[in-house]
Amino acid sequence: MKQLEDWMKENQITEIECVVSDINGIARGKITPVSKFIAEKGMRLPESILLQTVTGDYVEDDIYYDLLDPADIDMICHPDPDAIFMIPWALEPTAQVIHDCYDRNGLPINLSPRNLLKKVLRLYQDQGWKPIVSPEMEFYLTKRCEDPDLPLQPPIGRSGRQETGRQSFSIDAANEFDPLFEDMYDWCEAQGLDIDTLIHEEGTAQMEINFRHGDPLSLADQVFVFKRTMREAALKHDVAATFMAKPVSNEPGSAMHLHQSVVDLNTGESIFSDAQGKMSELFLHHIGGLQKYIPEILPLLAPNVNSFRRFLPDTSAPVNVEWGLENRTCGLRVPDSDSQNRRVENRLPGADANVYLAIAGSLLCGYLGMMKKINPSAPVQGRAYERRNLRLPLTLEAALERMEHSKVIREYLSPEFVKGYIAVKRVEHENFKQVISSWEREFLLLSV
């Protein structure tokens, strides 16, 4: 707490947002005066928020009381002094600090996404390895819309006109929203977010922000904070920013591409390259693990029914776990690089994924490949869309069923987490199935 107290005093902070990530990556917690935060040295929250759905509902009672204390007790949340960030858009000097969740015996709670990522990172540490990641976040800017039944529309830029057509990598199209992005960059700098490049993506008013490579836990925290920051910057300029995987019909989906590599914990040298600078066996096994186990953890990368609308051929999104050199039609792309920076880009996670769970799942798959010495398939030359031997589950229901029956995933992520996560996603899916879509009304209402 001394480190946190000194930081808050130096920055004249008067209020603290104490937050944890729930299963969906939503920030939940309390807003408190600094004096109370220091006195309590953290906060308490109901364990039940870790089984709360995106609609605010909870899982079925039999699962709820199997995974949680029947007395509905609080969990103890300790602040991480390395995860405190300014909130530059607040009217008063305010900061947010990310907390870790523990039970009354001081043990990490398995349902916590941040704890899960730390658990996977310890697996690497025990082998003398250190993973490095670099996320790329895609999102859309849209007009603000109060009616969820209406399709989203592109926002109006500085020129007074809506963007039309595809404007991939257009500087002028990105500059239409210069005032918004100036605020975003200023706020990210104030928070210490290590963002790098801004790109106009393929979709109409679709953008991408790249993060510099670094420690997975730190970057997960930064992406968690960045999503809030981007939404706030957009609202200030009377537009909306959405990280839905497929928010607009007939437009590309939004991904969270993960570049991942592994270095020796002591030397810092890449273990993905051998002494001759070629692909090492560990690198190939890492890819083999991604190919074998991604279909079993796919709900961590594609967590919502909308996520699966993104997986379509010829839409800059993968439909399988093939791999290839500089091949964007593959789910696993190996960018051209020198031997020290050799990495694999996992193109499957959607922008809607919980960043802690997506990074944990992707790194776990690679770890299992290295530990079990799993050989990958041959790299794809040319288009990978037509290949059918390494296909993914096609629906959220199928993906959840596959994850549920994976013994190895239960072993490494814990039976409690797998059971709780799947239960939350099934409640959300049942909620979705109760909604009648405009397609059904348009084509079935007077025809069948």
Side-chain angles (χ1 to χ4, degrees):
M1 288 297 296
K2 181 67 165 62
Q3 181 181 337
L4 284 169
E5 288 180 43
D6 291 344
W7 187 93
M8 289 184 290
K9 185 176 181 180
E10 180 183 345
N11 290 277
Q12 299 180 317
I13 300 299
T14 59
E15 279 191 339
I16 288 286
E17 293 185 0
C18 308
V19 298
V20 300
S21 166
D22 75 358
I23 271 180
N24 283 298
I26 297 171
R28 301 195 185 274
K30 299 178 179 180
I31 303 172
T32 183
V34 164
S35 57
K36 184 176 182 181
F37 171 75
I38 292 173
E40 294 185 353
K41 297 180 172 57
M43 66 171 170
R44 292 174 178 264
L45 286 175
E47 286 183 322
S48 56
I49 67 166
L50 298 177
L51 289 178
Q52 191 171 9
T53 71
V54 73
T55 61
D57 299 314
Y58 292 91
V59 301
E60 300 294 334
D61 283 352
D62 58 334
I63 297 174
Y64 185 98
Y65 290 114
D66 180 48
L67 295 174
L68 302 180
D69 191 297
D72 203 14
I73 63 172
D74 284 345
M75 56 187 178
I76 300 165
C77 304
H78 294 309
D80 185 337
D82 294 322
I84 187 167
F85 303 89
M86 293 289 294
I87 301 182
W89 56 87
L91 297 179
E92 297 291 331
T94 306
Q96 60 184 320
V97 60
I98 299 171
H99 288 56
D100 287 316
C101 305
Y102 298 88
D103 64 20
R104 60 179 125 188
N105 297 316
L107 299 175
I109 290 178
N110 287 328
L111 289 170
S112 162
R114 196 170 192 262
N115 284 346
L116 196 78
L117 175 55
K118 293 170 80 170
K119 182 177 182 179
V120 171
L121 295 179
R122 282 194 294 271
L123 295 174
Y124 278 84
Q125 186 177 10
D126 290 345
Q127 298 300 318
W129 300 331
K130 178 177 175 56
I132 306 292
V133 301
S134 174
E136 299 173 352
M137 296 300 300
E138 295 174 349
F139 57 93
Y140 275 87
L141 298 176
T142 75
K143 279 187 176 180
R144 295 174 72 167
C145 181
E146 296 180 358
D147 188 345
D149 280 335
L150 297 178
L152 297 173
Q153 298 293 325
I156 295 173
R158 291 187 306 157
S159 66
R161 302 179 65 181
Q162 285 183 322
E163 184 179 313
T164 57
R166 299 291 172 85
Q167 301 291 341
S168 302
F169 296 96
S170 169
I171 300 298
D172 290 336
N175 285 341
E176 280 286 291
F177 306 100
D178 244 2
L180 187 161
F181 288 121
E182 287 295 334
D183 280 338
M184 181 209 72
Y185 271 109
D186 288 344
W187 290 354
C188 287
E189 183 177 357
Q191 295 174 103
L193 305 188
D194 212 6
I195 63 173
D196 190 356
T197 308
L198 168 67
I199 299 167
H200 191 297
E201 263 294 342
E202 186 177 350
T204 304
Q206 185 187 31
M207 308 293 171
E208 176 182 296
I209 290 288
N210 297 340
F211 285 75
R212 295 185 181 93
H213 63 273
D215 174 71
L217 183 63
S218 173
L219 279 161
D221 289 339
Q222 290 182 50
V223 171
F224 177 66
V225 171
F226 170 76
K227 282 188 170 184
R228 295 189 70 197
T229 303
M230 190 65 241
R231 291 191 191 103
E232 289 289 341
L235 290 175
K236 178 182 176 182
H237 293 271
D238 201 31
V239 299
T242 177
F243 293 89
M244 272 180 66
K246 187 78 168 180
V248 184
S249 299
N250 303 314
E251 293 282 359
S254 291
M256 176 172 58
H257 297 153
L258 290 176
H259 292 251
Q260 57 195 69
S261 59
V262 184
V263 299
D264 184 279
L265 191 59
N266 296 316
T267 68
E269 294 295 315
S270 172
I271 68 169
F272 280 178
S273 298
D274 61 20
Q276 289 72 44
K278 306 295 183 182
M279 293 181 188
S280 68
E281 285 193 358
L282 284 172
F283 179 60
L284 294 174
H285 293 328
H286 192 90
I287 293 175
L290 288 165
Q291 288 188 309
K292 181 174 177 61
Y293 291 110
I294 279 178
E296 298 181 17
I297 57 97
L298 187 59
L300 303 184
L301 312 183
N304 305 302
V305 66
N306 178 263
S307 310
F308 287 80
R309 299 186 189 276
R310 180 178 146 254
F311 296 141
L312 296 171
D314 299 306
T315 59
S316 302
V319 294
N320 54 43
V321 284
E322 297 281 3
W323 75 286
L325 304 175
E326 284 290 352
N327 192 333
R328 285 186 170 85
T329 69
C330 296
L332 304 170
R333 169 179 170 257
V334 177
D336 185 36
S337 69
D338 58 35
S339 58
Q340 179 60 22
N341 293 303
R342 179 166 281 119
R343 62 196 185 276
V344 59
E345 177 192 11
N346 183 353
R347 297 175 59 79
L348 287 151
D352 58 335
N354 180 325
V355 63
Y356 296 105
L357 299 182
I359 293 177
S362 189
L363 290 177
L364 177 62
C365 293
Y367 169 86
L368 291 171
M370 292 191 289
M371 296 302 292
K372 296 176 182 290
K373 296 181 169 55
I374 298 172
N375 291 320
S377 63
V380 171
Q381 307 290 332
R383 283 167 54 87
Y385 291 134
E386 288 79 11
R387 292 179 171 253
R388 299 187 178 277
N389 59 321
L390 291 169
R391 302 287 284 194
L392 298 164
L394 297 177
T395 65
L396 179 60
E397 292 165 295
L400 290 171
E401 186 173 355
R402 187 150 180 187
M403 183 176 177
E404 187 174 40
H405 291 112
S406 174
K407 293 181 180 179
V408 69
I409 298 305
R410 282 203 306 275
E411 177 188 350
Y412 280 90
L413 297 186
S414 84
E416 296 86 0
F417 173 80
V418 172
K419 185 175 184 178
Y421 186 83
I422 290 173
V424 166
K425 291 299 149 185
R426 282 184 171 152
V427 170
E428 291 173 353
H429 194 256
E430 286 301 314
N431 187 288
F432 167 79
K433 288 195 293 185
Q434 295 176 29
V435 178
I436 309 303
S437 70
S438 60
W439 185 95
E440 292 165 278
R441 290 190 293 269
E442 180 176 356
F443 293 105
L444 303 180
L445 184 67
L446 302 176
S447 302
V448 297

